[in-house]
Amino acid sequence: MPHTVRILDGGMSRELTRLGARLVQPEWSALALMESPDIVRQVHVEFIQAGADAITTNSYALVPFHIGEERFASEGAALIELSGQLAREAADASTDRDILVCGSLPPLFGSYEPENFDAARAPEYLSVLVGNLAPNVDVWLGETFSLIAEAEAAQTAVAETGKPLWVSFTLKDDPAALGRPPVLRSGETVADAAIWAAQAGIEALLFNCSRPEIMETAIAEAASVFAQKGVDIEIGVYANAFEQETASEKANEGLSGMRAELEGEGYIGFARSWVAAGATLVGGCCGIGAAQIGRLAKELKS
């Protein structure tokens, strides 16, 4: 059945720093929950006011990779619960439309590092995330996954919650990848990821935290698989605006330079092509702020 375009929110980190939150490694955006939760809530509010139909909990860095094993054990549950509460409060304050709260299930062992995924340890960490986010979220968002095994672990972790699952993969986006069949950072193909999605019965398959140029081919690949399988799975995109190539970079090492040409009309031009290719969930990742989400909402929902 046809789906209307829905607008996702944008990148959290730069909006936090714009409003005065402190972000340093290794805690990164988790530090804002510890020091300035009101700013986290305000970022959610500003994305909603800009036109986002869905906001994502600030739980991306609430894993031992960022906050350490000891702090995860002692404070992780409370911080994860707080991230859900802040998003829920912002969503419930909306008076003109219903806002979805997406519970972020991040890469557990480092972004862009598929080789570090530990299937034996993943269930323990995911159970803490899922258990403490569940009361306040409407849908699960496994995001910036680099390999299909991460998605399988997330699917298992949320299975008993009764809430839908969206899965978002990050793609290889170095110059050598452009013009070739799209692949995850693990080297697995987008076609294989789409086949998995069709078999798993997830509600949406998305692509995020990669350069905008790589996304349209990924959408087309996924749409082709879903058509062949006869499944109704939404497709979404929220690209980053990183200035440098991301293939050899580790995510969240610092505030990277952003591509000036993606401000204003630049990013919107890509978004139009994604919708034309079949995407119905569109937002932004690193470097795409509330102002740009406002432009997307005005353009794509008109």
Side-chain angles (χ1 to χ4, degrees), residues 14-263:
R14 285 179 181 271
E15 297 299 278
L16 288 170
T17 58
R18 179 178 63 81
L19 294 177
R22 188 171 69 98
L23 269 68
V24 296
Q25 286 289 31
E27 295 92 347
W28 202 237
S29 58
L31 196 60
L33 287 165
M34 303 170 192
E35 297 183 347
S36 47
D38 286 347
I39 295 180
V40 175
R41 184 193 297 107
Q42 184 60 29
V43 171
H44 290 315
V45 169
E46 292 195 8
F47 277 129
I48 292 169
Q49 291 175 341
D53 300 304
I55 57 173
T56 303
T57 60
N58 185 38
S59 49
Y60 191 90
L62 294 177
V63 291
F65 180 86
H66 281 286
I67 66 174
E69 291 282 358
E70 184 176 341
R71 182 179 271 169
F72 184 78
S74 62
E75 302 177 39
L79 289 170
I80 292 165
E81 183 179 14
L82 176 60
S83 73
Q85 290 172 344
L86 294 171
R88 184 79 267 161
E89 289 169 6
D92 288 348
S94 173
T95 58
D96 62 337
R97 66 194 192 284
D98 292 334
I99 305 297
L100 282 178
V101 174
C102 303
S104 174
L105 303 178
L108 303 173
F109 308 100
S111 302
Y112 306 166
E113 299 186 39
E115 68 279 3
N116 291 338
F117 179 70
D118 187 334
R121 294 165 61 202
E124 175 189 354
Y125 298 151
L126 283 167
S127 68
V128 180
L129 282 157
V130 170
N132 289 283
L133 284 173
N136 289 300
V137 305
D138 302 303
V139 60
W140 298 108
L141 175 59
E143 57 178 342
T144 324
F145 287 171
S146 293
L147 72 166
I148 295 171
E150 287 181 290
E152 292 174 335
Q155 182 195 28
T156 299
V158 306
E160 294 185 1
T161 68
K163 298 182 179 185
L165 173 63
W166 298 357
V167 169
S168 189
F169 290 105
T170 178
L171 308 174
K172 284 189 177 181
D173 59 359
D174 57 289
L178 299 177
R180 296 184 178 183
V183 298
L184 314 188
R185 294 188 189 271
S186 62
E188 296 164 298
T189 67
V190 165
D192 284 342
I195 290 169
W196 172 83
Q199 294 170 340
I202 65 172
E203 187 175 272
L205 175 66
L206 302 91
F207 306 103
N208 80 296
C209 213
S210 304
R211 292 166 68 86
E213 288 86 348
I214 203 73
M215 299 303 198
E216 186 176 351
T217 56
I219 296 167
E221 192 79 30
S224 176
V225 169
F226 295 159
Q228 292 172 14
K229 298 289 184 181
V231 294
D232 181 26
I233 296 176
E234 285 197 77
I235 301 173
V237 171
Y238 51 117
N240 65 38
F242 284 149
E243 189 174 67
Q244 73 268 34
E245 299 162 15
T246 58
S248 61
E249 298 286 337
K250 294 181 180 179
N252 297 355
E253 287 192 329
L255 282 175
S256 305
M258 295 292 126
R259 295 169 59 184
E261 73 272 20
L262 293 182
E263 297 179 3

Side-chain angles (χ1 to χ4, degrees), residues 251-295:
N252 297 355
E253 287 192 329
L255 282 175
S256 305
M258 295 292 126
R259 295 169 59 184
E261 73 272 20
L262 293 182
E263 297 179 3
E265 181 66 20
Y267 192 79
I268 293 172
F270 283 111
R272 289 194 197 99
S273 72
W274 303 334
V275 172
T280 56
L281 299 165
V282 180
C285 202
C286 306
I288 305 299
Q292 191 66 294
I293 294 303
R295 297 185 186 100

